[in-house]
């Protein structure tokens, strides 16, 4: 009984060597399981590999949840020792810009993927998506560069910086309207042609992974940026949300074309989802333009106002 208790306590608080072994077992069992699935092997070794992968994964998740707070605390303490990492941890605006740069790189890579897929499948739709992601990456880059230039032009004036950021917010809204108008044309072309692109399992898996990544990032930004009073951060958040909506639409068209046998139902679904995504993103762009114009007018009517604590972009 005492040995069982000691073993249970050890599993709750394993040492470093055991964790290394667990990591190796998890990686190996998952790799072997994937290999068995790929070669369609269903013998006793495959079941052993599946069980080992499931147990090691479950135990790893348990340890991650159990020590999540401790790991987070130590990571934050380590990050605060250096200026750049401390700023990343404490400043949400700076963190948003860093993630926007990373997302810009991911978007560019995904645009290349869609472009290659469009060429291989002779698909106008995939080509349109590739072009969309290229220009969306351009919008994000324009916002980031605009923020950098706005800081330089402001020369330390909070009021001037705020006004410049509002202009970026307004410009971002205009670009989203133009971009999603082009997307609406691409959706109409796909629907009217009634011949969706040739889809495969690779396209479906990649679209699902990318859509999940973008949706998760957009939802995190949606909640964290809700009370952040910075037009530049709001612009990046709205671009990410637009990106996520289009990714979901791309995933929907891929899955429907891959698994649906009824072309009429597929066309109706593509029309409905495509129209909803385009309307939502164009509506967001219109809101950004109107809101920025209103706040710019207020700012110019009170040029001496202190915008250190600026008015929130989304009221209520």
């Amino acid at each position: 009984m005492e040995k069982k208790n000691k073993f249970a306590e050890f599993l709750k608080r394993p040492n470093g060597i055991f964790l290394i072994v667990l990591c190796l077992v998890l990686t190996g069992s998952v790799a072997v399981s994937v290999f068995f699935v790929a070669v369609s092997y269903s013998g006793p070794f495959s079941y052993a590999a599946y069980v080992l992968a499931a147990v090691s994964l479950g135990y790893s998740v348990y340890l991650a949840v159990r020590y999540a707070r401790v790991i987070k605390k130590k990571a934050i303490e380590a990050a605060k020792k250096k200026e750049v990492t401390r700023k990343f941890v404490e400043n949400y605006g700076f963190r948003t810009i860093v993630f926007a740069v990373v997302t810009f790189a991911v978007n560019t890579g995904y645009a290349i993927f869609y472009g290659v897929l469009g060429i291989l499948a002779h698909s106008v739709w995939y080509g349109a998506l590739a072009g969309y992601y290229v220009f969306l990456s351009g919008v994000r880059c324009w916002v980031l560069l605009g923020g950098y230039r706005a800081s330089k032009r402001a020369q330390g004036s909070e009021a001037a910086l705020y006004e410049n950021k509002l202009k970026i917010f307004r410009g971002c809204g205009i670009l989203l309207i133009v971009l999603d108008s082009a997307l609406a044309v691409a959706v109409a072309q796909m629907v009217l042609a009634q011949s969706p692109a040739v889809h495969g399992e690779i396209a479906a898996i990649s679209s699902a992974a990318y859509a999940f990544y973008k949706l998760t990032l957009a939802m995190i930004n949606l909640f964290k940026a809700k009370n952040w009073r910075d037009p530049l951060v709001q612009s990046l958040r709205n671009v990410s949300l637009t990106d996520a909506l289009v990714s979901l639409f791309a995933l929907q068209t891929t899955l429907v074309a891959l698994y649906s046998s009824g072309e009429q139902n597929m066309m109706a679904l593509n029309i409905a989802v495509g129209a909803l995504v385009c309307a939502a993103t164009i509506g967001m762009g219109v809101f950004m333009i109107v809101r920025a114009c209103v706040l710019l007018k207020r700012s110019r009517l009170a040029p001496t106002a202190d915008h250190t604590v600026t008015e929130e972009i989304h009221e209520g």
Side-chain angles (χ1 to χ4, degrees):
M1 189 67 175
E2 185 178 348
K3 289 183 178 181
K4 288 184 178 181
N5 290 335
K6 287 184 178 180
F7 182 67
E9 287 298 319
F10 175 77
L11 290 179
K12 290 180 180 179
R13 299 178 179 82
N15 56 36
I17 297 177
F18 183 81
L19 292 176
I20 294 174
V21 173
L22 174 65
C23 183
L24 293 175
V25 170
L26 175 60
T27 304
S29 60
V30 170
V32 171
S33 299
V34 171
F35 173 76
F36 285 154
V37 171
V39 299
S40 302
Y41 174 73
S42 58
F45 291 107
S46 65
Y47 297 119
Y50 299 154
V51 171
L52 186 59
V55 171
S56 57
L57 178 61
Y59 182 55
S60 300
V61 172
Y62 161 77
L63 290 178
V65 173
R66 182 179 177 84
Y67 292 103
R69 291 184 178 179
V70 176
I71 294 172
K72 181 179 179 181
K73 183 179 179 181
K74 289 185 177 180
I76 291 176
E77 289 176 353
K80 287 183 177 180
K81 293 179 180 179
K82 294 186 177 181
E83 178 64 23
V84 175
T85 51
R86 182 186 62 78
K87 189 176 180 181
F88 179 81
V89 170
E90 296 179 349
N91 191 320
Y92 176 73
F94 178 75
R95 192 161 63 248
T96 299
I97 292 174
V98 172
F99 282 132
V101 173
V102 174
T103 305
F104 169 77
V106 174
N107 268 8
T108 303
Y110 208 67
I112 295 173
F113 167 77
Y114 265 138
V116 172
L117 203 60
I119 294 172
L120 296 177
H122 304 287
S123 168
V124 177
W125 171 239
Y126 278 149
L129 281 178
Y132 180 88
Y133 283 120
V134 167
F135 285 108
L136 191 65
S137 296
V139 172
R140 186 177 275 110
C141 184
W142 178 80
V143 172
L144 291 171
L145 292 177
Y148 175 75
R149 289 195 298 265
S151 298
K152 277 196 165 184
R153 287 197 300 266
Q155 298 180 347
S157 172
E158 290 290 338
L161 179 60
Y162 176 68
E163 185 171 328
N164 288 333
K165 286 183 177 182
L166 282 177
K167 291 177 181 178
I168 295 172
F169 188 73
R170 181 180 60 189
C172 183
I174 295 172
L175 290 175
L176 286 182
I177 291 176
V178 174
L179 192 58
D180 283 284
S181 298
L183 178 66
V185 174
V187 171
Q189 182 276 332
M190 180 191 68
V191 171
L192 294 175
Q194 299 185 19
S195 55
V198 179
H199 297 77
E201 296 290 342
I202 295 177
I205 294 172
S206 62
S207 294
Y210 188 69
F212 178 77
Y213 157 74
K214 293 305 303 179
L215 184 61
T216 302
L217 185 63
M219 293 306 295
I220 291 174
N221 287 336
L222 185 66
F223 286 105
K224 286 191 175 182
K226 183 178 180 182
N227 296 318
W228 189 263
R229 301 171 175 86
D230 189 331
L232 190 69
V233 173
Q234 295 286 349
S235 297
L236 292 172
R237 188 203 71 177
N238 291 346
V239 170
S240 295
L241 185 58
T242 300
D243 194 353
L245 290 175
V246 176
S247 298
L248 287 176
F249 177 55
L251 174 62
Q252 176 263 323
T253 56
T254 300
L255 295 179
V256 168
L258 187 62
Y259 298 110
S260 175
S261 58
E263 189 170 337
Q264 292 299 323
N265 292 335
M266 179 180 65
M267 184 173 67
L269 185 58
N270 286 338
I271 292 173
V273 178
L276 183 62
V277 169
C278 290
T281 49
I282 290 175
M284 184 189 302
V286 171
F287 173 81
M288 291 172 71
I289 295 170
V290 173
R291 187 63 181 152
C293 288
V294 170
L295 293 180
L296 278 170
K297 185 177 180 180
R298 292 181 185 176
S299 176
R300 288 163 183 168
L301 288 175
T304 59
D306 182 8
H307 292 293
T308 302
V309 179
T310 60
E311 183 174 358
E312 186 173 353
I313 298 300
H314 294 283
E315 291 185 341

